[in-house]
PDB file of all heavy atoms in Angstrom:
ATOM      1  N   VAL A   1      -0.343   9.824  -5.846  1.00  0.00           N
ATOM      2  CA  VAL A   1      -0.661   8.469  -5.395  1.00  0.00           C
ATOM      3  C   VAL A   1      -0.111   7.498  -6.425  1.00  0.00           C
ATOM      4  O   VAL A   1      -0.426   7.583  -7.604  1.00  0.00           O
ATOM      5  CB  VAL A   1      -2.188   8.265  -5.250  1.00  0.00           C
ATOM      6  CG1 VAL A   1      -2.490   6.843  -4.815  1.00  0.00           C
ATOM      7  CG2 VAL A   1      -2.760   9.249  -4.236  1.00  0.00           C
ATOM      8  N   ARG A   2       0.806   6.604  -6.001  1.00  0.00           N
ATOM      9  CA  ARG A   2       1.377   5.636  -6.934  1.00  0.00           C
ATOM     10  C   ARG A   2       1.493   4.289  -6.242  1.00  0.00           C
ATOM     11  O   ARG A   2       1.591   4.197  -5.012  1.00  0.00           O
ATOM     12  CB  ARG A   2       2.778   6.084  -7.393  1.00  0.00           C
ATOM     13  CG  ARG A   2       2.784   7.380  -8.178  1.00  0.00           C
ATOM     14  CD  ARG A   2       4.071   7.535  -8.991  1.00  0.00           C
ATOM     15  NE  ARG A   2       5.263   7.554  -8.156  1.00  0.00           N
ATOM     16  CZ  ARG A   2       5.788   8.653  -7.634  1.00  0.00           C
ATOM     17  NH1 ARG A   2       5.214   9.822  -7.857  1.00  0.00           N
ATOM     18  NH2 ARG A   2       6.878   8.592  -6.900  1.00  0.00           N
ATOM     19  N   TRP A   3       1.504   3.227  -7.045  1.00  0.00           N
ATOM     20  CA  TRP A   3       1.779   1.904  -6.493  1.00  0.00           C
ATOM     21  C   TRP A   3       3.266   1.806  -6.167  1.00  0.00           C
ATOM     22  O   TRP A   3       4.113   2.209  -6.944  1.00  0.00           O
ATOM     23  CB  TRP A   3       1.417   0.807  -7.501  1.00  0.00           C
ATOM     24  CG  TRP A   3      -0.049   0.672  -7.714  1.00  0.00           C
ATOM     25  CD1 TRP A   3      -0.770   1.077  -8.793  1.00  0.00           C
ATOM     26  CD2 TRP A   3      -0.995   0.104  -6.821  1.00  0.00           C
ATOM     27  NE1 TRP A   3      -2.107   0.821  -8.642  1.00  0.00           N
ATOM     28  CE2 TRP A   3      -2.278   0.205  -7.430  1.00  0.00           C
ATOM     29  CE3 TRP A   3      -0.911  -0.476  -5.552  1.00  0.00           C
ATOM     30  CZ2 TRP A   3      -3.439  -0.252  -6.818  1.00  0.00           C
ATOM     31  CZ3 TRP A   3      -2.084  -0.931  -4.957  1.00  0.00           C
ATOM     32  CH2 TRP A   3      -3.317  -0.821  -5.581  1.00  0.00           C
ATOM     33  N   LEU A   4       3.582   1.319  -4.981  1.00  0.00           N
ATOM     34  CA  LEU A   4       4.961   1.183  -4.555  1.00  0.00           C
ATOM     35  C   LEU A   4       5.283  -0.276  -4.259  1.00  0.00           C
ATOM     36  O   LEU A   4       4.404  -1.075  -3.952  1.00  0.00           O
ATOM     37  CB  LEU A   4       5.216   2.023  -3.286  1.00  0.00           C
ATOM     38  CG  LEU A   4       4.890   3.518  -3.371  1.00  0.00           C
ATOM     39  CD1 LEU A   4       5.148   4.178  -2.032  1.00  0.00           C
ATOM     40  CD2 LEU A   4       5.710   4.182  -4.472  1.00  0.00           C
ATOM     41  N   ARG A   5       6.567  -0.583  -4.366  1.00  0.00           N
ATOM     42  CA  ARG A   5       7.048  -1.908  -3.980  1.00  0.00           C
ATOM     43  C   ARG A   5       7.767  -1.787  -2.650  1.00  0.00           C
ATOM     44  O   ARG A   5       8.338  -0.752  -2.331  1.00  0.00           O
ATOM     45  CB  ARG A   5       8.015  -2.453  -5.041  1.00  0.00           C
ATOM     46  CG  ARG A   5       7.350  -2.728  -6.382  1.00  0.00           C
ATOM     47  CD  ARG A   5       8.344  -3.252  -7.414  1.00  0.00           C
ATOM     48  NE  ARG A   5       9.368  -2.257  -7.718  1.00  0.00           N
ATOM     49  CZ  ARG A   5      10.626  -2.324  -7.328  1.00  0.00           C
ATOM     50  NH1 ARG A   5      11.041  -3.348  -6.584  1.00  0.00           N
ATOM     51  NH2 ARG A   5      11.503  -1.393  -7.645  1.00  0.00           N
ATOM     52  N   SER A   6       7.750  -2.871  -1.864  1.00  0.00           N
ATOM     53  CA  SER A   6       8.407  -2.814  -0.561  1.00  0.00           C
ATOM     54  C   SER A   6       9.114  -4.129  -0.281  1.00  0.00           C
ATOM     55  O   SER A   6       8.645  -5.193  -0.676  1.00  0.00           O
ATOM     56  CB  SER A   6       7.365  -2.547   0.540  1.00  0.00           C
ATOM     57  OG  SER A   6       7.940  -2.689   1.825  1.00  0.00           O
ATOM     58  N   ASN A   7      10.272  -4.026   0.380  1.00  0.00           N
ATOM     59  CA  ASN A   7      10.967  -5.238   0.822  1.00  0.00           C
ATOM     60  C   ASN A   7      10.672  -5.530   2.293  1.00  0.00           C
ATOM     61  O   ASN A   7      11.349  -6.313   2.936  1.00  0.00           O
ATOM     62  CB  ASN A   7      12.477  -5.105   0.613  1.00  0.00           C
ATOM     63  CG  ASN A   7      13.069  -3.978   1.458  1.00  0.00           C
ATOM     64  OD1 ASN A   7      12.378  -3.341   2.255  1.00  0.00           O
ATOM     65  ND2 ASN A   7      14.366  -3.722   1.279  1.00  0.00           N
ATOM     66  N   GLY A   8       9.688  -4.843   2.837  1.00  0.00           N
ATOM     67  CA  GLY A   8       9.288  -5.050   4.221  1.00  0.00           C
ATOM     68  C   GLY A   8       9.624  -3.865   5.101  1.00  0.00           C
ATOM     69  O   GLY A   8       8.972  -3.611   6.106  1.00  0.00           O
ATOM     70  N   THR A   9      10.654  -3.105   4.741  1.00  0.00           N
ATOM     71  CA  THR A   9      11.049  -1.951   5.569  1.00  0.00           C
ATOM     72  C   THR A   9      11.163  -0.671   4.754  1.00  0.00           C
ATOM     73  O   THR A   9      10.910   0.416   5.257  1.00  0.00           O
ATOM     74  CB  THR A   9      12.406  -2.217   6.263  1.00  0.00           C
ATOM     75  OG1 THR A   9      13.387  -2.537   5.274  1.00  0.00           O
ATOM     76  CG2 THR A   9      12.287  -3.378   7.252  1.00  0.00           C
ATOM     77  N   VAL A  10      11.588  -0.770   3.492  1.00  0.00           N
ATOM     78  CA  VAL A  10      11.795   0.413   2.656  1.00  0.00           C
ATOM     79  C   VAL A  10      10.877   0.326   1.440  1.00  0.00           C
ATOM     80  O   VAL A  10      10.729  -0.748   0.833  1.00  0.00           O
ATOM     81  CB  VAL A  10      13.270   0.513   2.191  1.00  0.00           C
ATOM     82  CG1 VAL A  10      13.468   1.750   1.320  1.00  0.00           C
ATOM     83  CG2 VAL A  10      14.189   0.564   3.410  1.00  0.00           C
ATOM     84  N   PHE A  11      10.223   1.452   1.072  1.00  0.00           N
ATOM     85  CA  PHE A  11       9.382   1.509  -0.102  1.00  0.00           C
ATOM     86  C   PHE A  11      10.174   2.077  -1.284  1.00  0.00           C
ATOM     87  O   PHE A  11      11.001   2.973  -1.130  1.00  0.00           O
ATOM     88  CB  PHE A  11       8.153   2.395   0.163  1.00  0.00           C
ATOM     89  CG  PHE A  11       7.158   1.756   1.094  1.00  0.00           C
ATOM     90  CD1 PHE A  11       7.277   1.902   2.463  1.00  0.00           C
ATOM     91  CD2 PHE A  11       6.113   0.999   0.588  1.00  0.00           C
ATOM     92  CE1 PHE A  11       6.370   1.309   3.324  1.00  0.00           C
ATOM     93  CE2 PHE A  11       5.198   0.413   1.441  1.00  0.00           C
ATOM     94  CZ  PHE A  11       5.323   0.557   2.810  1.00  0.00           C
ATOM     95  N   TYR A  12       9.911   1.583  -2.477  1.00  0.00           N
ATOM     96  CA  TYR A  12      10.577   2.039  -3.696  1.00  0.00           C
ATOM     97  C   TYR A  12       9.532   2.503  -4.684  1.00  0.00           C
ATOM     98  O   TYR A  12       8.470   1.892  -4.830  1.00  0.00           O
ATOM     99  CB  TYR A  12      11.398   0.894  -4.315  1.00  0.00           C
ATOM    100  CG  TYR A  12      12.510   0.393  -3.409  1.00  0.00           C
ATOM    101  CD1 TYR A  12      12.268  -0.622  -2.491  1.00  0.00           C
ATOM    102  CD2 TYR A  12      13.790   0.947  -3.484  1.00  0.00           C
ATOM    103  CE1 TYR A  12      13.283  -1.076  -1.656  1.00  0.00           C
ATOM    104  CE2 TYR A  12      14.806   0.496  -2.647  1.00  0.00           C
ATOM    105  CZ  TYR A  12      14.547  -0.515  -1.733  1.00  0.00           C
ATOM    106  OH  TYR A  12      15.541  -0.965  -0.917  1.00  0.00           O
ATOM    107  N   ASP A  13       9.838   3.598  -5.390  1.00  0.00           N
ATOM    108  CA  ASP A  13       8.913   4.079  -6.411  1.00  0.00           C
ATOM    109  C   ASP A  13       9.095   3.252  -7.672  1.00  0.00           C
ATOM    110  O   ASP A  13       9.981   2.388  -7.747  1.00  0.00           O
ATOM    111  CB  ASP A  13       9.124   5.570  -6.672  1.00  0.00           C
ATOM    112  CG  ASP A  13      10.507   5.875  -7.238  1.00  0.00           C
ATOM    113  OD1 ASP A  13      11.158   4.951  -7.773  1.00  0.00           O
ATOM    114  OD2 ASP A  13      10.927   7.051  -7.151  1.00  0.00           O
ATOM    115  N   PRO A  14       8.236   3.489  -8.700  1.00  0.00           N
ATOM    116  CA  PRO A  14       8.333   2.686  -9.918  1.00  0.00           C
ATOM    117  C   PRO A  14       9.687   2.740 -10.597  1.00  0.00           C
ATOM    118  O   PRO A  14      10.047   1.846 -11.365  1.00  0.00           O
ATOM    119  CB  PRO A  14       7.241   3.294 -10.807  1.00  0.00           C
ATOM    120  CG  PRO A  14       6.243   3.838  -9.842  1.00  0.00           C
ATOM    121  CD  PRO A  14       7.050   4.373  -8.707  1.00  0.00           C
ATOM    122  N   GLU A  15      10.505   3.787 -10.338  1.00  0.00           N
ATOM    123  CA  GLU A  15      11.840   3.886 -10.936  1.00  0.00           C
ATOM    124  C   GLU A  15      12.895   3.158 -10.101  1.00  0.00           C
ATOM    125  O   GLU A  15      14.083   3.168 -10.426  1.00  0.00           O
ATOM    126  CB  GLU A  15      12.250   5.352 -11.096  1.00  0.00           C
ATOM    127  CG  GLU A  15      11.524   6.073 -12.230  1.00  0.00           C
ATOM    128  CD  GLU A  15      10.088   6.370 -11.863  1.00  0.00           C
ATOM    129  OE1 GLU A  15       9.810   6.634 -10.679  1.00  0.00           O
ATOM    130  OE2 GLU A  15       9.228   6.313 -12.764  1.00  0.00           O
ATOM    131  N   GLY A  16      12.488   2.579  -8.958  1.00  0.00           N
ATOM    132  CA  GLY A  16      13.419   1.827  -8.132  1.00  0.00           C
ATOM    133  C   GLY A  16      14.127   2.653  -7.084  1.00  0.00           C
ATOM    134  O   GLY A  16      15.055   2.174  -6.436  1.00  0.00           O
ATOM    135  N   GLN A  17      13.709   3.934  -6.905  1.00  0.00           N
ATOM    136  CA  GLN A  17      14.362   4.797  -5.932  1.00  0.00           C
ATOM    137  C   GLN A  17      13.601   4.749  -4.597  1.00  0.00           C
ATOM    138  O   GLN A  17      12.360   4.736  -4.572  1.00  0.00           O
ATOM    139  CB  GLN A  17      14.398   6.243  -6.448  1.00  0.00           C
ATOM    140  CG  GLN A  17      15.179   6.400  -7.731  1.00  0.00           C
ATOM    141  CD  GLN A  17      16.637   6.006  -7.549  1.00  0.00           C
ATOM    142  OE1 GLN A  17      17.269   6.357  -6.531  1.00  0.00           O
ATOM    143  NE2 GLN A  17      17.178   5.261  -8.504  1.00  0.00           N
ATOM    144  N   PRO A  18      14.359   4.709  -3.469  1.00  0.00           N
ATOM    145  CA  PRO A  18      13.691   4.728  -2.161  1.00  0.00           C
ATOM    146  C   PRO A  18      12.854   6.001  -2.025  1.00  0.00           C
ATOM    147  O   PRO A  18      13.231   7.071  -2.503  1.00  0.00           O
ATOM    148  CB  PRO A  18      14.851   4.722  -1.163  1.00  0.00           C
ATOM    149  CG  PRO A  18      16.014   4.161  -1.928  1.00  0.00           C
ATOM    150  CD  PRO A  18      15.831   4.632  -3.344  1.00  0.00           C
ATOM    151  N   THR A  19      11.728   5.894  -1.368  1.00  0.00           N
ATOM    152  CA  THR A  19      10.855   7.050  -1.207  1.00  0.00           C
ATOM    153  C   THR A  19      10.176   6.998   0.153  1.00  0.00           C
ATOM    154  O   THR A  19      10.054   5.938   0.768  1.00  0.00           O
ATOM    155  CB  THR A  19       9.776   7.084  -2.313  1.00  0.00           C
ATOM    156  OG1 THR A  19       9.026   8.284  -2.180  1.00  0.00           O
ATOM    157  CG2 THR A  19       8.832   5.899  -2.201  1.00  0.00           C
ATOM    158  N   ARG A  20       9.801   8.182   0.659  1.00  0.00           N
ATOM    159  CA  ARG A  20       9.092   8.250   1.932  1.00  0.00           C
ATOM    160  C   ARG A  20       7.597   8.121   1.703  1.00  0.00           C
ATOM    161  O   ARG A  20       7.067   8.557   0.695  1.00  0.00           O
ATOM    162  CB  ARG A  20       9.392   9.591   2.618  1.00  0.00           C
ATOM    163  CG  ARG A  20      10.856   9.743   2.996  1.00  0.00           C
ATOM    164  CD  ARG A  20      11.104  11.125   3.549  1.00  0.00           C
ATOM    165  NE  ARG A  20      10.332  11.330   4.788  1.00  0.00           N
ATOM    166  CZ  ARG A  20      10.200  12.516   5.387  1.00  0.00           C
ATOM    167  NH1 ARG A  20      10.759  13.599   4.841  1.00  0.00           N
ATOM    168  NH2 ARG A  20       9.508  12.645   6.493  1.00  0.00           N
ATOM    169  N   VAL A  21       6.917   7.525   2.678  1.00  0.00           N
ATOM    170  CA  VAL A  21       5.483   7.261   2.556  1.00  0.00           C
ATOM    171  C   VAL A  21       4.730   8.052   3.612  1.00  0.00           C
ATOM    172  O   VAL A  21       5.085   8.025   4.794  1.00  0.00           O
ATOM    173  CB  VAL A  21       5.188   5.751   2.717  1.00  0.00           C
ATOM    174  CG1 VAL A  21       3.692   5.494   2.635  1.00  0.00           C
ATOM    175  CG2 VAL A  21       5.920   4.958   1.642  1.00  0.00           C
ATOM    176  N   LEU A  22       3.740   8.782   3.173  1.00  0.00           N
ATOM    177  CA  LEU A  22       2.921   9.558   4.099  1.00  0.00           C
ATOM    178  C   LEU A  22       1.863   8.679   4.762  1.00  0.00           C
ATOM    179  O   LEU A  22       1.500   8.863   5.915  1.00  0.00           O
ATOM    180  CB  LEU A  22       2.249  10.712   3.340  1.00  0.00           C
ATOM    181  CG  LEU A  22       1.426  11.694   4.182  1.00  0.00           C
ATOM    182  CD1 LEU A  22       2.334  12.419   5.162  1.00  0.00           C
ATOM    183  CD2 LEU A  22       0.726  12.693   3.272  1.00  0.00           C
ATOM    184  N   GLY A  23       1.340   7.705   4.031  1.00  0.00           N
ATOM    185  CA  GLY A  23       0.321   6.818   4.580  1.00  0.00           C
ATOM    186  C   GLY A  23       0.028   5.680   3.628  1.00  0.00           C
ATOM    187  O   GLY A  23       0.529   5.653   2.497  1.00  0.00           O
ATOM    188  N   THR A  24      -0.748   4.725   4.087  1.00  0.00           N
ATOM    189  CA  THR A  24      -1.142   3.594   3.245  1.00  0.00           C
ATOM    190  C   THR A  24      -2.657   3.474   3.239  1.00  0.00           C
ATOM    191  O   THR A  24      -3.344   3.955   4.150  1.00  0.00           O
ATOM    192  CB  THR A  24      -0.545   2.269   3.758  1.00  0.00           C
ATOM    193  OG1 THR A  24      -1.033   2.025   5.082  1.00  0.00           O
ATOM    194  CG2 THR A  24       0.968   2.323   3.776  1.00  0.00           C
ATOM    195  N   VAL A  25      -3.173   2.835   2.222  1.00  0.00           N
ATOM    196  CA  VAL A  25      -4.615   2.620   2.080  1.00  0.00           C
ATOM    197  C   VAL A  25      -4.867   1.130   1.930  1.00  0.00           C
ATOM    198  O   VAL A  25      -4.223   0.463   1.113  1.00  0.00           O
ATOM    199  CB  VAL A  25      -5.173   3.364   0.846  1.00  0.00           C
ATOM    200  CG1 VAL A  25      -6.657   3.061   0.694  1.00  0.00           C
ATOM    201  CG2 VAL A  25      -4.943   4.861   0.992  1.00  0.00           C
ATOM    202  N   THR A  26      -5.757   0.604   2.758  1.00  0.00           N
ATOM    203  CA  THR A  26      -6.115  -0.808   2.686  1.00  0.00           C
ATOM    204  C   THR A  26      -7.612  -0.943   2.408  1.00  0.00           C
ATOM    205  O   THR A  26      -8.429  -0.318   3.088  1.00  0.00           O
ATOM    206  CB  THR A  26      -5.785  -1.533   4.005  1.00  0.00           C
ATOM    207  OG1 THR A  26      -4.399  -1.373   4.297  1.00  0.00           O
ATOM    208  CG2 THR A  26      -6.114  -3.020   3.908  1.00  0.00           C
ATOM    209  N   ASP A  27      -7.969  -1.721   1.420  1.00  0.00           N
ATOM    210  CA  ASP A  27      -9.375  -1.957   1.091  1.00  0.00           C
ATOM    211  C   ASP A  27      -9.943  -3.017   2.043  1.00  0.00           C
ATOM    212  O   ASP A  27      -9.535  -4.175   2.006  1.00  0.00           O
ATOM    213  CB  ASP A  27      -9.502  -2.433  -0.360  1.00  0.00           C
ATOM    214  CG  ASP A  27     -10.958  -2.567  -0.790  1.00  0.00           C
ATOM    215  OD1 ASP A  27     -11.854  -2.345   0.057  1.00  0.00           O
ATOM    216  OD2 ASP A  27     -11.201  -2.900  -1.968  1.00  0.00           O
ATOM    217  N   THR A  28     -10.855  -2.611   2.927  1.00  0.00           N
ATOM    218  CA  THR A  28     -11.431  -3.531   3.921  1.00  0.00           C
ATOM    219  C   THR A  28     -12.852  -3.961   3.553  1.00  0.00           C
ATOM    220  O   THR A  28     -13.575  -4.487   4.383  1.00  0.00           O
ATOM    221  CB  THR A  28     -11.449  -2.868   5.305  1.00  0.00           C
ATOM    222  OG1 THR A  28     -12.270  -1.686   5.249  1.00  0.00           O
ATOM    223  CG2 THR A  28     -10.040  -2.499   5.760  1.00  0.00           C
ATOM    224  N   THR A  29     -13.236  -3.726   2.310  1.00  0.00           N
ATOM    225  CA  THR A  29     -14.614  -4.041   1.906  1.00  0.00           C
ATOM    226  C   THR A  29     -14.940  -5.516   2.129  1.00  0.00           C
ATOM    227  O   THR A  29     -15.973  -5.870   2.710  1.00  0.00           O
ATOM    228  CB  THR A  29     -14.822  -3.691   0.425  1.00  0.00           C
ATOM    229  OG1 THR A  29     -14.516  -2.319   0.223  1.00  0.00           O
ATOM    230  CG2 THR A  29     -16.268  -3.948   0.016  1.00  0.00           C
ATOM    231  N   HIS A  30     -14.031  -6.383   1.674  1.00  0.00           N
ATOM    232  CA  HIS A  30     -14.296  -7.819   1.798  1.00  0.00           C
ATOM    233  C   HIS A  30     -14.343  -8.238   3.271  1.00  0.00           C
ATOM    234  O   HIS A  30     -15.204  -9.034   3.679  1.00  0.00           O
ATOM    235  CB  HIS A  30     -13.212  -8.613   1.068  1.00  0.00           C
ATOM    236  CG  HIS A  30     -13.387 -10.101   1.134  1.00  0.00           C
ATOM    237  ND1 HIS A  30     -14.508 -10.734   0.634  1.00  0.00           N
ATOM    238  CD2 HIS A  30     -12.595 -11.071   1.654  1.00  0.00           C
ATOM    239  CE1 HIS A  30     -14.400 -12.041   0.839  1.00  0.00           C
ATOM    240  NE2 HIS A  30     -13.253 -12.266   1.456  1.00  0.00           N
ATOM    241  N   GLN A  31     -13.438  -7.682   4.074  1.00  0.00           N
ATOM    242  CA  GLN A  31     -13.406  -8.019   5.496  1.00  0.00           C
ATOM    243  C   GLN A  31     -14.703  -7.594   6.186  1.00  0.00           C
ATOM    244  O   GLN A  31     -15.279  -8.352   6.970  1.00  0.00           O
ATOM    245  CB  GLN A  31     -12.218  -7.341   6.170  1.00  0.00           C
ATOM    246  CG  GLN A  31     -12.107  -7.639   7.671  1.00  0.00           C
ATOM    247  CD  GLN A  31     -10.943  -6.901   8.324  1.00  0.00           C
ATOM    248  OE1 GLN A  31     -10.188  -6.222   7.644  1.00  0.00           O
ATOM    249  NE2 GLN A  31     -10.820  -7.045   9.629  1.00  0.00           N
ATOM    250  N   LYS A  32     -15.163  -6.371   5.902  1.00  0.00           N
ATOM    251  CA  LYS A  32     -16.402  -5.898   6.509  1.00  0.00           C
ATOM    252  C   LYS A  32     -17.597  -6.719   6.049  1.00  0.00           C
ATOM    253  O   LYS A  32     -18.524  -6.984   6.815  1.00  0.00           O
ATOM    254  CB  LYS A  32     -16.616  -4.417   6.180  1.00  0.00           C
ATOM    255  CG  LYS A  32     -15.651  -3.485   6.898  1.00  0.00           C
ATOM    256  CD  LYS A  32     -15.964  -2.039   6.613  1.00  0.00           C
ATOM    257  CE  LYS A  32     -15.038  -1.120   7.390  1.00  0.00           C
ATOM    258  NZ  LYS A  32     -15.239  -1.254   8.868  1.00  0.00           N
ATOM    259  N   ARG A  33     -17.569  -7.156   4.767  1.00  0.00           N
ATOM    260  CA  ARG A  33     -18.672  -7.985   4.267  1.00  0.00           C
ATOM    261  C   ARG A  33     -18.701  -9.323   4.998  1.00  0.00           C
ATOM    262  O   ARG A  33     -19.762  -9.822   5.364  1.00  0.00           O
ATOM    263  CB  ARG A  33     -18.521  -8.186   2.758  1.00  0.00           C
ATOM    264  CG  ARG A  33     -19.696  -8.975   2.153  1.00  0.00           C
ATOM    265  CD  ARG A  33     -19.550  -9.136   0.654  1.00  0.00           C
ATOM    266  NE  ARG A  33     -19.731  -7.872  -0.041  1.00  0.00           N
ATOM    267  CZ  ARG A  33     -18.776  -7.232  -0.673  1.00  0.00           C
ATOM    268  NH1 ARG A  33     -17.550  -7.735  -0.716  1.00  0.00           N
ATOM    269  NH2 ARG A  33     -19.016  -6.090  -1.292  1.00  0.00           N
ATOM    270  N   LEU A  34     -17.522  -9.904   5.223  1.00  0.00           N
ATOM    271  CA  LEU A  34     -17.468 -11.178   5.954  1.00  0.00           C
ATOM    272  C   LEU A  34     -17.939 -10.997   7.401  1.00  0.00           C
ATOM    273  O   LEU A  34     -18.642 -11.868   7.940  1.00  0.00           O
ATOM    274  CB  LEU A  34     -16.038 -11.727   5.933  1.00  0.00           C
ATOM    275  CG  LEU A  34     -15.525 -12.264   4.589  1.00  0.00           C
ATOM    276  CD1 LEU A  34     -14.071 -12.701   4.726  1.00  0.00           C
ATOM    277  CD2 LEU A  34     -16.389 -13.420   4.089  1.00  0.00           C
ATOM    278  N   GLN A  35     -17.547  -9.864   8.024  1.00  0.00           N
ATOM    279  CA  GLN A  35     -18.003  -9.604   9.389  1.00  0.00           C
ATOM    280  C   GLN A  35     -19.521  -9.481   9.443  1.00  0.00           C
ATOM    281  O   GLN A  35     -20.170 -10.028  10.341  1.00  0.00           O
ATOM    282  CB  GLN A  35     -17.357  -8.316   9.920  1.00  0.00           C
ATOM    283  CG  GLN A  35     -15.875  -8.452  10.236  1.00  0.00           C
ATOM    284  CD  GLN A  35     -15.272  -7.129  10.668  1.00  0.00           C
ATOM    285  OE1 GLN A  35     -15.753  -6.063  10.303  1.00  0.00           O
ATOM    286  NE2 GLN A  35     -14.208  -7.200  11.459  1.00  0.00           N
ATOM    287  N   PHE A  36     -20.103  -8.787   8.474  1.00  0.00           N
ATOM    288  CA  PHE A  36     -21.545  -8.625   8.428  1.00  0.00           C
ATOM    289  C   PHE A  36     -22.238  -9.970   8.232  1.00  0.00           C
ATOM    290  O   PHE A  36     -23.234 -10.280   8.893  1.00  0.00           O
ATOM    291  CB  PHE A  36     -21.945  -7.666   7.294  1.00  0.00           C
ATOM    292  CG  PHE A  36     -23.432  -7.577   7.066  1.00  0.00           C
ATOM    293  CD1 PHE A  36     -24.223  -6.809   7.901  1.00  0.00           C
ATOM    294  CD2 PHE A  36     -24.035  -8.276   6.018  1.00  0.00           C
ATOM    295  CE1 PHE A  36     -25.594  -6.726   7.709  1.00  0.00           C
ATOM    296  CE2 PHE A  36     -25.399  -8.203   5.818  1.00  0.00           C
ATOM    297  CZ  PHE A  36     -26.179  -7.423   6.662  1.00  0.00           C
TER     298      PHE A  36
END
């Protein structure tokens, strides 16, 4: 698990090389708190 950079279509690893992504994780805690 690493932080990646993206130009909108392609993800790059910390060394600047294109890499494939298996999935993404989004923290929805704040959104769920606002909904509640």
Side-chain angles (χ1 to χ4, degrees):
V1 179
R2 296 199 300 271
W3 290 106
L4 304 178
R5 294 179 296 108
S6 171
N7 63 4
T9 56
V10 180
F11 288 87
Y12 298 89
D13 64 20
E15 286 74 34
Q17 298 298 317
T19 185
R20 296 175 63 190
V21 178
L22 184 64
T24 61
V25 177
T26 303
D27 185 357
T28 61
T29 303
H30 180 60
Q31 180 182 357
K32 289 184 177 296
R33 184 179 290 112
L34 289 177
Q35 288 176 334
F36 173 79

